[in-house]
Amino acid sequence: MKAVAIALSFAAAAAGKPDYEALWAGFKRRYNKDYHANSIAEETRFQAFRANVDMILETNAEHLSYTLGINAFSDMTTEEFVSTHLGYKKPETAELYEGATFLGNHTWQGEELPSSIDWSLKGAVTPVKDQGHCGSCWVFSAIGALEGAYSLATGNLVSLAEQQIIDCEVDIFPPTMKCHGGSVGPVFGYAKGHSLCTEASYPYHATMANQSGPCAASTCVEGVARGQFTGWRGLAPVGKLIPASYNDMMSAVAKQPVSVAIEADKDVFRHYSSGVVDGACGQKPNHAVLVVGYGTDPDHGDYWKIKNSWGTAWGEKGFVRIKRGAGSISNAWRGECAILNSPSYPVVASSSAKVLV
């Protein structure tokens, strides 16, 4: 009911009758916002909210291939959002292959590629999760890729514990800094050398203020045994320098979900509601996500389907579609939002593969 109320208020605003107070009241109810009776803090948030509402209405009035909307981040400034909800740290080029066994690059071999694929509809993707106020996207992206690879190899989809990585994984080259950021390579390396806990037995609780605790991997329920993962493959011929091709990416995604880093600090991503993102999202990766498929929208063309880690209230029930293909000179080289910059996926040991009868 709360969602219906705020949607109706926003529809009225879109018709040229913005009632900021009504929208604000609906927003607070919908997202359980409580400013602890601090009138100064609430006024600050309200002003940020008004500015975001204006931006959303102006953008949607252009009738682009995507729409923006009010969400849980609409009372935050861009700077606040970036500091708490992204977290991908680009390793130095020399450190890209540190922390895990690099098994070479995946390249398209000329095989026929399906016109579309969606692993979230094929039982290889766990439900959308929420990293909360913690720059741990790198963990969620890598864990999602591990879940998908293991599911497709064994027929067993297990939701794995992001908190285990935050508590137990320590890497210096490249550095991992819990809620302050990291990259996927060290997670793949940890997965090779350790058993992975189930999310249910080792629940996620990290925040910027309370990032981690003592490693509790010895007392959790094992979700994936040690030795199931042998390493990882990249897609970019020279990571960060020469990106993957569109066919390389399609070939890999047709095989399994792929971990990627994109730029996600622009308004188009923070307030994304639906449609196919085409432009205005940047080319400097700062957020790790999971590509779970690709397809073609009848109105807006080819897209990649991406699982995010900001909960199901964001985007298309936690997913976003971004343009697949070169839309402008700025994104022709690295893809929309720099998605082709440094994709990778984990490899499951051949002994783990299920026997097909």
Side-chain angles (χ1 to χ4, degrees):
M1 191 67 183
K2 294 176 182 178
V4 172
I6 193 171
L8 290 174
S9 296
F10 200 63
K17 303 174 182 178
D19 185 338
Y20 297 108
E21 295 290 348
L23 289 169
W24 180 240
F27 166 77
K28 291 191 292 182
R29 289 193 302 270
R30 172 70 177 85
Y31 297 105
N32 298 312
K33 296 285 185 172
D34 184 355
Y35 303 99
H36 308 291
N38 186 326
S39 59
I40 296 177
E42 177 156 358
E43 179 61 23
T44 299
R45 294 296 166 204
F46 178 60
Q47 293 306 321
F49 176 81
R50 283 189 60 146
N52 285 324
V53 167
D54 288 342
M55 177 276 300
I56 292 168
L57 292 174
E58 290 170 5
T59 301
N60 288 347
E62 297 180 34
H63 303 291
L64 303 170
S65 60
Y66 55 87
T67 60
L68 307 185
I70 293 173
N71 59 30
F73 312 132
S74 295
D75 63 343
M76 303 174 71
T77 65
T78 299
E79 293 73 22
E80 290 170 328
F81 174 76
V82 168
S83 69
T84 58
H85 285 81
L86 302 182
Y88 174 75
K89 303 294 184 184
K90 292 186 292 185
E92 295 299 322
T93 302
E95 297 175 350
L96 276 175
Y97 304 143
E98 298 293 332
T101 301
F102 177 58
L103 301 176
N105 281 322
H106 175 108
T107 57
W108 178 55
Q109 299 299 313
E111 73 272 18
E112 184 177 355
L113 300 172
S115 59
S116 65
I117 187 76
D118 188 344
W119 292 116
S120 68
L121 301 179
K122 292 179 175 290
V125 178
T126 58
V128 170
K129 304 179 185 182
D130 192 345
Q131 70 187 75
H133 286 255
C134 173
S136 55
C137 61
W138 54 284
V139 181
F140 283 82
S141 174
I143 286 291
L146 291 164
E147 291 168 341
Y150 186 70
S151 171
L152 289 167
T154 67
N156 186 22
L157 179 62
V158 183
S159 186
L160 300 173
E162 288 81 10
Q163 192 66 43
Q164 178 186 3
I165 303 300
I166 293 174
D167 290 349
C168 308
E169 193 283 329
V170 178
D171 204 84
I172 300 175
F173 301 108
T176 53
M177 298 176 286
K178 304 182 187 296
C179 284
H180 294 286
S183 55
V184 301
V187 185
F188 294 158
Y190 182 91
K192 180 184 178 183
H194 300 80
S195 298
L196 298 180
C197 303
T198 65
E199 182 186 23
S201 69
Y202 203 148
Y204 181 76
H205 61 74
T207 65
M208 297 297 289
N210 182 25
Q211 299 180 56
S212 63
C215 179
S218 62
T219 60
C220 72
V221 174
E222 183 180 84
V224 176
R226 178 181 177 180
Q228 299 299 296
F229 296 102
T230 60
W232 65 282
R233 292 190 183 279
L235 277 71
V238 181
K240 291 177 60 181
L241 299 177
I242 302 176
S245 72
Y246 290 101
N247 282 336
D248 289 342
M249 178 74 99
M250 290 174 67
S251 174
V253 175
K255 172 185 173 69
Q256 66 188 81
V258 173
S259 178
V260 299
I262 61 174
E263 181 165 353
D265 56 359
K266 300 294 191 290
D267 290 332
V268 64
F269 216 86
R270 178 160 64 115
H271 283 103
Y272 170 80
S273 178
S274 64
V276 178
V277 173
D278 182 2
C281 63
Q283 288 284 296
K284 298 178 180 179
N286 54 18
H287 184 52
V289 291
L290 187 70
V291 180
V292 300
Y294 61 82
T296 302
D297 183 274
D299 296 318
H300 304 301
D302 296 341
Y303 63 83
W304 304 108
K305 182 174 180 179
I306 290 173
K307 180 188 181 185
N308 201 359
S309 52
W310 296 343
T312 57
W314 176 88
E316 295 179 330
K317 297 182 179 179
F319 294 87
V320 56
R321 291 176 294 155
I322 70 170
K323 183 179 180 63
R324 172 169 55 95
S328 66
I329 294 176
S330 64
N331 69 22
W333 179 238
R334 300 186 185 278
E336 192 66 79
C337 308
I339 192 172
L340 301 177
N341 190 66
S342 53
S344 60
Y345 62 81
V347 177
V348 178
S350 58
S351 60
S352 303
K354 60 186 177 182
V355 177
L356 300 179
V357 179

